[in-house]
Amino acid sequence: MADKARSGGILDTIKTVIYALLIAGIFRTLFFQPFWIPSGSMKDTLLIGDFLFVNKMAYGYSYASCPSVRIPAIGINIDAKDICGWADGDNTRFLGAEPARGDIAVFRHPVNGTDFIKRVIGLPGDRVQVRDGRVIINDTPVEVAPDGQFEEVAEPQGPHGIRPRCANGPVGDGGTCLKEKFVETLPGGTSHSILNIGNQGADNTPVYTVPEGHYFFMGDNRDNSSDSRVPSVAGGVGFVPYENLVGRADRVIFSSAGSSMLFFWTWRGDRFFEALE
């Protein structure tokens, strides 16, 4: 009897774990996906170590709404297409809604499927160009106003130990890393912070016409972002198909300045439930 009870207890535990995983998978697929900011491409709107939930209901659902599960340490690499590839290929969405210019959105890279987070700059049919670091949309330069400087400590950041790039040249560990800061106002009135390090190749681009069903994304840390300014075949992002959108980021839940979000003593006290602009 004891062996039978023990066997039944193990079976009940396995069932509970399976049910919990199924519920978590359904929740993540339909409603919110956790996302931890790994790079500085969206500074100072998003910092390395920010933790947020992406609202998947904002744009409706496509194959990209299915989660990818990648744990290289134990050899797990399950892509969203492995689960929901049957819904890929028509560039449509179920209960779909169009993103607004200025939204901060997570999307799947058009070539390698990696999750990126950037800001929506160009909508379908827009003509987008960057000239001397200034965005021009449909032949009209966007409004940009100086907003002081962004300061951070020159040191390795996050679990990957990424060092920030600085406008004030190479800065030793512990020094003050500076970037020029501006407020950019897009057509429609959305305003947000952007950073400038210096003259870069991506500060001047051709005129890109955004195809129907696609979007043009840029990072707020303009000189430290791989985005739509470079075609995906050349190592950038290029135009992002509508079906590749995962969801919209609206608020930072908490933020860790350390190498792990579990190190609570490194949490940034001023970023709990911080609304994003």
Side-chain angles (χ1 to χ4, degrees):
M1 291 290 293
D3 289 342
K4 196 172 188 179
R6 192 179 304 112
S7 176
I10 293 173
L11 185 60
D12 288 342
T13 300
I14 293 173
K15 286 181 179 178
T16 299
V17 171
I18 291 174
Y19 291 151
L21 290 174
L22 286 173
I23 292 170
I26 293 171
F27 182 85
R28 180 173 173 175
T29 299
L30 295 180
F31 302 111
F32 297 95
Q33 175 176 316
F35 196 87
W36 194 26
I37 303 301
S39 74
S41 69
M42 282 293 293
K43 289 178 182 178
D44 63 335
T45 306
L46 292 170
L47 304 179
I48 294 176
D50 281 352
F51 180 83
L52 48 86
F53 283 100
V54 178
N55 181 0
K56 290 192 170 185
M57 297 175 286
Y59 306 136
Y61 305 95
S62 71
Y63 86 93
S65 302
C66 283
S68 296
V69 182
R70 296 186 174 95
I71 311 177
I74 57 176
I76 295 179
N77 185 14
I78 303 173
D79 189 77
K81 286 188 176 182
D82 297 330
I83 305 171
C84 296
W86 53 269
D88 182 24
D90 57 2
N91 203 25
T92 60
R93 307 182 72 86
F94 176 67
L95 300 177
E98 301 286 338
R101 195 191 313 276
D103 280 1
I104 300 172
V106 171
F107 59 88
R108 282 174 56 87
H109 189 282
V111 174
N112 61 37
T114 304
D115 284 344
F116 276 51
I117 185 165
K118 307 286 181 185
R119 191 178 297 275
V120 179
I121 298 295
L123 304 178
D126 281 345
R127 297 183 308 281
V128 182
Q129 183 181 24
V130 181
R131 190 185 302 156
D132 296 326
R134 191 168 183 179
V135 176
I136 301 169
I137 300 177
N138 297 324
D139 304 320
T140 301
V142 301
E143 180 183 337
V144 176
D147 191 33
Q149 292 183 319
F150 172 71
E151 298 185 10
E152 59 185 335
V153 178
E155 62 183 2
Q157 300 177 353
H160 303 301
I162 298 173
R163 293 187 59 84
R165 296 177 59 215
C166 313
N168 53 328
V171 178
D173 280 351
T176 301
C177 178
L178 302 176
K179 297 177 180 65
E180 292 180 300
K181 186 176 177 182
F182 299 86
V183 173
E184 179 179 79
T185 302
L186 298 173
T190 299
S191 295
H192 55 272
S193 176
I194 60 172
L195 301 181
N196 177 61
I197 298 172
N199 295 325
Q200 310 283 326
D203 284 343
N204 291 280
T205 73
V207 176
Y208 293 109
T209 299
V210 185
E212 287 302 314
H214 291 72
Y215 296 87
F216 192 98
F217 283 86
M218 293 178 68
D220 290 349
N221 191 0
R222 291 289 161 81
D223 294 331
N224 197 39
S225 174
S226 175
D227 50 40
S228 293
R229 287 172 288 179
V230 177
S232 57
V233 293
V237 170
F239 303 122
V240 177
Y242 181 44
E243 66 180 354
N244 280 38
L245 302 181
V246 174
R248 186 182 67 215
D250 297 319
R251 188 176 296 272
V252 173
I253 304 302
F254 71 89
S255 181
S256 171
S259 60
S260 171
M261 65 180 178
L262 299 179
F263 297 166
F264 63 88
W265 58 90
T266 66
W267 290 2
R268 299 177 175 107
D270 60 343
R271 293 187 70 77
F272 284 99
F273 303 103
E274 179 82 8
L276 297 176
E277 298 180 350

